Amino acid sequence: SDAKLVESLRLPLQIALVHVIGVLVPFLAYLFLANSGHDIVPTMYLIVVASLVITSALIWIEGFAALKQIDPPETDGPAPPVTAIIAAYLPNEAATIVETAESFLRTDYPGPYQVILAYNTPRDLPVEAALHQISRRDPRFQTIRVPGSTSKAQNVNAALAEARGDIVGVFDADHHPAPDAFTRAWRWIASGYDVVQGHCLVRNGDETPVARTVAVE
């Protein structure tokens, strides 16, 4: 059908358009100006170098600013119930999901705490038995195998129907939250914020040069 043809051509057209705008158009502009007697290459070189220097400086400033941790204000009253939702596609993340589940259960939160692992898988996997064992051992942990799901968004939607927390956190299958993550989120929300977003820290930054680069980034 026409719709399928358009969909199949969308990505190649996008790639071609990026190269036309980013490579071909500037080249033609340089060529046209050079033939007209206007050589802008030295000027553009200085502009590009200045842009790179400014960008590098801003990255350094942002990096140093990020080292400062701002703590939320203290909060009175009992801690509200919270729910952690973990979305997973198990064939790809089966090797790490048990470690992730255990890390969530080590979270130090003073109020009612619920952890929901919502996942999809096209076939039965041995790791599911290990996950069910964790749920039997710890009533805070619940697994939901979402039938017919083809995305993590569908998994999250299924988990939301089971969430009992006043505060709900959404995590990926390889996220290991800091022990006080939900306590900090509760204190920020109690002080007037509507949404709290954390940031990722690489745990194995010393293992390889690639891991070190990602950790710095």
Side-chain angles (χ1 to χ4, degrees):
S1 65
D2 293 341
K4 290 184 178 180
L5 178 61
V6 171
E7 186 65 26
S8 64
L9 293 177
R10 176 181 298 177
L11 181 59
L13 290 175
Q14 289 176 337
I15 295 174
L17 185 61
V18 167
H19 282 81
V20 168
I21 296 176
V23 178
L24 183 59
V25 171
F27 172 75
L28 293 177
Y30 288 142
L31 191 62
F32 173 78
L33 291 172
N35 291 333
S36 302
H38 303 286
D39 185 9
I40 65 169
V41 172
T43 302
M44 291 304 302
Y45 174 80
L46 294 176
I47 292 175
V48 170
V49 171
S51 299
L52 292 175
V53 170
I54 294 172
T55 300
S56 299
L58 292 176
I59 290 174
W60 275 95
I61 293 172
E62 181 185 23
F64 282 116
L67 294 176
K68 181 180 180 181
Q69 176 173 296
I70 302 176
D71 293 320
E74 295 293 336
T75 302
D76 296 328
V82 299
T83 297
I85 294 177
I86 310 168
Y89 177 60
L90 280 195
N92 290 356
E93 297 162 326
T96 60
I97 194 62
V98 171
E99 182 184 3
T100 296
E102 296 288 4
S103 73
F104 273 85
L105 295 176
R106 290 193 296 269
T107 296
D108 182 19
Y109 183 71
Y113 179 58
Q114 176 191 27
V115 180
I116 301 176
L117 170 62
Y119 67 92
N120 61 305
T121 177
R123 61 185 184 277
D124 295 339
L125 296 171
V127 72
E128 293 181 87
L131 294 171
H132 293 321
Q133 184 178 2
I134 295 175
S135 64
R136 289 192 294 268
R137 185 193 75 208
D138 195 325
R140 299 175 300 170
F141 184 71
Q142 175 184 354
T143 62
I144 302 176
R145 179 172 174 173
V146 185
S149 172
T150 58
S151 69
K152 290 188 177 183
Q154 290 175 287
N155 298 344
V156 171
N157 288 335
L160 287 173
E162 301 291 331
R164 300 189 298 268
D166 294 339
I167 299 173
V168 177
V170 180
F171 301 86
D172 205 355
D174 61 347
H175 287 171
H176 293 188
D180 63 342
F182 272 98
T183 301
R184 291 176 59 85
W186 158 49
R187 288 167 58 186
W188 280 120
I189 291 174
S191 66
Y193 288 85
D194 297 316
V195 178
V196 176
Q197 179 177 346
H199 67 281
C200 294
L201 297 175
V202 174
R203 299 185 299 274
N204 61 339
D206 295 331
E207 290 190 6
T208 65
V210 173
R212 185 183 297 273
T213 301
V214 174
V216 171
E217 181 183 4

